Every structure is written in structure tokens, then in C-alpha cells.
Amino acid sequence: MFKPLVSVLTVLSILPNIQAAAPTASTLFLSETETQFSVNIANDTDDVFIYFSSPAYSWVAVGFGERMQNSLMFVMYPSEDGKNVTISPRIADGHSEPSFTRNIQLETLPGTEIKDEAFILKARCRNCQVWGGGYLDKTSTTHPMIYAFGPGNRLQSNKPDAPLKRHIRYGKFTMNMVAATGKGEVPAPSSALSGVEIKGGMTRDHDRANLAHAVIGCLALFIFWPLNVLLAGFFKKMKLHIGMSVFIMIFLIVAYALGIYTSGEYNRSKKFNSPHQILAFITLLPILLISILPNPRISQLTPIIPRLHTPLTAFTFTFLVLTGGLGLHLSNSSRPIILIYTSISLAVFLFILLIQSCIWKRGSRYSRHRRSRHGEAEEDEQDLVLAAWYAGRKMEEQESRSTSAASLNRHDGNGNYGNNGYSGMGGNGSGQNIYGGGTMPGPQYLMNMHPGVPVHKW
């Protein structure tokens, strides 16, 4: 009598266990970060079901492929309000930031959220077994996979193509896709590896080129530039000033080269059309001018050129500082770093302004002292340069006229010069020891003799 009842109860007790059986899946679990990535491949459709959970870093990604190039990646980051998850399917064309692809249809399912400071993604992926440059091999028991974690600062966006900062940790593993194939459904949460083999440990990454680009540029602007102003203005060490200028140019060239190299790693800078890059290229013109204008052959072409050095230097410094600030914005730097950079920029700018003001006042006092001592107007430093330039030009003209006169007044061998009728002893041929031909100034004129007065030979 009780045997049928016992059998029914036994069957009923087994049914919940059958219903609670975990879906077919292969699972990656990283104990260091408590990150889980599970895959289920439907055996009756081309759908792939995903369960992805991780602490809320700026972004977390897992990709199908052996390396970044041509891998299909699923990148998670917080939504704009910080209450949900943005999932972005991306494909990379090299060792650079992957780009969002619209060819992958990813549908988020109920249960996707940010809970207890952790991402939780439940999704169905359609048309994601084949993509440009790669495919998911359902028959592989060791399908190559990669994972990566973004830096600690928060990224919040609803856009699937939001810019990413370089990862700080990454690694590789293989996944058994045969074991993951079964009835199509979202895998369950798990804290154990299943059908996965981790290849090596988690590798820590560094963006050394980008860091060097920023550090070298700041050293050139905030250390060597004001030091060079001191050398030129107060100590009058022109050789040291020239050497320091060359040193600064080398630093700037290296900073530009590193900036161009790192630009190719990010989607936001690959096309070189950001304000930071545009202003950096514009600033190359004044940098070139302050490098070549001091050349004597160029500086003596016109009196305006020597006066351009100081304003061009100030203009270049200002543009380089603005370029650096825009670079921090382009790299998504944190607010404290931007505030520190702004403070240092203002301090150095005021320091250079103070130095140049002192140099100008010092030159004015020196000029007034010279005027009171000699009773005549003295030029300041730039005017002296211009005066020297004019003097050089005048001497060249005098030498040209002297050469022309000498070619006309050739000696005929009899004491006569040319055909002007003057003899070697005077214009009248009388034998008087008079040079200069009456009222013409003679050679003794350069010894402060008055023009128009006959000069006798001693």
C-alpha cells in the first residue's frame, strides 16, 4: 500500500535536482580577482550564451583568440549612471585598443547588473562563431583565449565604443568548446575551473612609452627651459645657453617621437586629429624658427630677426604647455594629475616671467648708468645688436665703394692717377707738397683732420 506512495515521493524528490542541474559550460575562474567567464554553445543553433562576472574595474575583457590581433573580445565597463553594465564586442587589428564591431549581435538578458561592486553579465551572442579574421572552433578542446583588466580608475559610459585605457594585467588560457556544447542556456555562477587550462600566470603590463612621453616633455618644459633662461639672462653664458638649447631640442624630439608611437595604440589618436596632436604639430613651426633664426647668416638679413627670439620663445613655451594639458585630457588622466600639472605650469610660467622682468630692468638700469656717465644716449642690448648690424652693412658699402674707386684710379707709372689731370705732387703740377687736390679731403682725414682743408705731406 505504501510502496507506490514511496515511489512517487522519490521521483518528486529527484525532479528538483534534475531541474537544478548546472547548464553545460566551460568555465574560467581567476581566484586573484574572483573573475568568472563561462561559455555555453547551443547544439541546435549558432547562439553562444555567456556568463561573465568580475569586480568593477574600469573595464574587464575576455577574447576568443591566441593574441589581440583578430580576436573577438567582450569588454565590460559600467554604464553612465554606474548602475548597470555596458557590454562591447570588439575586434583588434594589432596590439592596440580593440575597436567596436557592429557585426556581432549581443543581447543582454535579465540578471545583467552591477551588484555589490561587481559586474554581472548574462548574454546571448548571435552570429559570433565567425568574424572577420577569426572563428570559434566548436570541435576544439583547447581553444585559445585571452583576458585583460583595465586600470583602477573608473570608466562610466553607455557607448559601446568608449575609449579604453591600456590594460594593467592580462593573461592566456585554453577552453574546451566540446565540453561547452549542449542545450543553449546561460551558464550558472561557479568558482571552479571547468574545461579550462590557464597558460602561465597573470602578467602585469606597463605603458612605458606613454609615460616616457609625458615625463621627458615635462622635464624639457619645467626644468631645463627655465634653467636656460637663467643662463642666457643673468650669467651671460652664451655657450652654455646654446648647449642647453640643443639639449632641450633633443628632449622635445624624443617626446614627439614617443607621442607619435603611442598614438597608434589607441582609437582616439590613430587618426592624429585630436586637439592635442593638432596643436603639437602647429608648435613645430615656432620650434623650428627659434632653432634656425640665431644663425648669423640668417640673423643679419634684416634687423627684425634678432628681435623675434624672445617673443618666439615665450610663444613656443606657452603652446607646449597647452599641448601637454590637452594630452592629459586625451589620455583620460585623473583629476589630481591634471590639477598638479596645471599648478606646476602656472608656477614655472610666473617664474620665467619674473626672470625676464628682472633681466629687462637690469638692462634698463645699465643703459641709464651709461647715459649719465657719458652724457649721450646709449642703446639697450637689442638696439646694440641692431646698431652693430647697421655698422656692418655700412662698412660693407664703404669697402665696395673703395674697391670701385681703386679700380678707376690706376697708377700710370709717371706719378699720375687716371686721366683727371692731377699730378702726384698736386693738382696744379707745381711740385707743391700738397695731397688731396686743394679742397678734396686727403688720406689724413681719417686722423680727425677737417674736410676741405689742404693737408701737407710731412
Side-chain angles (χ1 to χ4, degrees):
M1 171 179 179
F2 295 101
K3 289 183 178 179
L5 181 60
V6 172
S7 299
V8 173
L9 293 175
T10 302
V11 172
L12 292 176
S13 65
I14 294 175
L15 285 175
N17 292 330
I18 295 175
Q19 293 175 354
T24 303
S26 289
T27 298
L28 165 73
F29 184 79
L30 300 173
S31 57
E32 300 95 326
T33 58
E34 298 183 350
T35 298
Q36 176 191 348
F37 181 77
S38 299
V39 172
N40 168 270
I41 301 175
N43 54 13
D44 56 348
T45 65
D46 291 334
D47 295 344
V48 176
F49 292 86
I50 296 172
Y51 180 88
F52 196 179
S53 66
S54 179
Y57 295 90
S58 61
W59 60 266
V60 185
V62 173
F64 294 87
E66 188 174 0
R67 60 182 62 87
M68 290 185 64
Q69 186 173 4
N70 297 327
S71 291
L72 173 60
M73 304 179 191
F74 297 104
V75 184
M76 286 196 307
Y77 43 87
S79 60
E80 189 171 350
D81 59 6
K83 297 179 180 180
N84 212 327
V85 176
T86 299
I87 180 69
S88 174
R90 303 191 179 206
I91 298 176
D93 57 4
H95 191 69
S96 59
E97 179 185 356
S99 302
F100 169 67
T101 174
R102 300 183 183 276
N103 297 329
I104 303 299
Q105 300 177 13
L106 195 65
E107 176 189 356
T108 57
L109 301 175
T112 300
E113 60 183 344
I114 294 180
K115 183 179 180 180
D116 299 330
E117 298 296 324
F119 298 133
I120 298 177
L121 170 68
K122 297 180 180 181
R124 180 203 305 262
C125 185
R126 305 180 189 274
N127 300 328
C128 64
Q129 293 192 21
V130 179
W131 60 90
Y135 66 97
L136 192 158
D137 187 1
K138 295 189 296 183
T139 64
S140 175
T141 58
T142 57
H143 195 286
M145 305 285 290
I146 56 177
Y147 64 87
F149 297 93
N153 59 304
R154 182 63 63 89
L155 165 65
Q156 295 185 198
S157 177
N158 294 333
K159 298 180 180 179
D161 59 348
L164 305 178
K165 295 195 69 174
R166 187 182 176 111
H167 47 59
I168 59 171
R169 290 184 178 88
Y170 65 92
K172 297 182 178 182
F173 64 100
T174 61
M175 181 169 279
N176 188 338
M177 296 303 173
V178 176
T181 302
K183 181 182 178 181
E185 53 188 333
V186 177
S190 176
S191 59
L193 291 173
S194 176
V196 166
E197 181 181 356
I198 299 177
K199 299 293 185 180
M202 190 180 298
T203 303
R204 185 171 182 83
D205 190 29
H206 301 277
D207 195 0
R208 292 186 175 90
N210 196 25
L211 179 62
H213 166 66
V215 171
I216 291 176
C218 289
L219 286 176
L221 289 180
F222 302 141
I223 301 297
F224 301 126
W225 199 291
L227 180 61
N228 199 22
V229 175
L230 282 173
L231 290 175
F234 279 102
F235 301 105
K236 304 296 183 181
K237 302 293 185 180
M238 298 311 297
K239 291 184 178 181
L240 291 178
H241 171 61
I242 295 173
M244 182 62 72
S245 299
V246 173
F247 192 66
I248 292 173
M249 290 301 169
I250 293 174
F251 264 57
L252 291 177
I253 291 173
V254 174
Y256 267 84
L258 290 172
I260 293 173
Y261 171 77
T262 57
S263 294
E265 296 183 349
Y266 301 97
N267 296 331
R268 55 191 176 274
S269 57
K270 287 180 179 179
K271 297 181 180 179
F272 294 91
N273 58 359
S274 66
H276 166 69
Q277 294 164 309
I278 293 174
L279 188 59
F281 289 133
I282 292 176
T283 311
L284 284 174
L285 178 59
I287 289 176
L288 179 64
L289 289 177
I290 62 176
S291 301
I292 65 175
L293 289 184
N295 187 294
R297 294 183 178 180
I298 299 177
S299 62
Q300 294 180 3
L301 293 176
T302 173
I304 299 176
I305 292 179
R307 291 181 174 179
L308 294 177
H309 183 73
T310 299
L312 269 177
T313 303
F315 179 83
T316 304
F317 177 79
T318 303
F319 264 45
L320 286 173
V321 170
L322 292 175
T323 301
L326 292 173
L328 294 178
H329 177 73
L330 179 64
S331 62
N332 295 326
S333 298
S334 60
R335 185 180 298 272
I337 294 179
I338 295 177
L339 292 176
I340 291 173
Y341 179 86
T342 303
S343 301
I344 294 176
S345 301
L346 291 175
V348 174
F349 181 81
L350 293 175
F351 177 74
I352 293 177
L353 186 63
L354 178 63
I355 291 175
Q356 291 181 339
S357 177
C358 293
I359 294 172
W360 180 82
K361 291 181 179 179
R362 181 185 180 189
S364 299
R365 287 196 300 268
Y366 177 77
S367 179
R368 289 195 298 269
H369 173 72
R370 294 281 294 179
R371 285 196 298 268
S372 62
R373 182 176 178 181
H374 297 285
E376 58 184 3
E378 296 287 344
E379 305 288 348
D380 60 10
E381 185 175 352
Q382 290 186 348
D383 290 340
L384 287 175
V385 173
L386 296 176
W389 182 86
Y390 280 120
R393 300 286 291 186
K394 188 173 181 180
M395 290 181 63
E396 292 178 359
E397 295 175 357
Q398 290 178 349
E399 290 176 358
S400 177
R401 287 196 298 267
S402 299
T403 303
S404 300
S407 62
L408 292 175
N409 297 327
R410 294 179 179 176
H411 196 280
D412 62 358
N414 297 318
N416 297 322
Y417 292 82
N419 297 320
N420 52 14
Y422 293 111
S423 67
M425 300 299 294
N428 54 9
S430 61
Q432 296 178 355
N433 293 331
I434 297 177
Y435 288 93
T439 60
M440 290 292 294
Q444 296 295 330
Y445 175 67
L446 295 179
M447 299 177 63
N448 293 329
M449 298 298 292
H450 294 285
V453 178
V455 180
H456 294 270
K457 180 180 179 182
W458 297 93

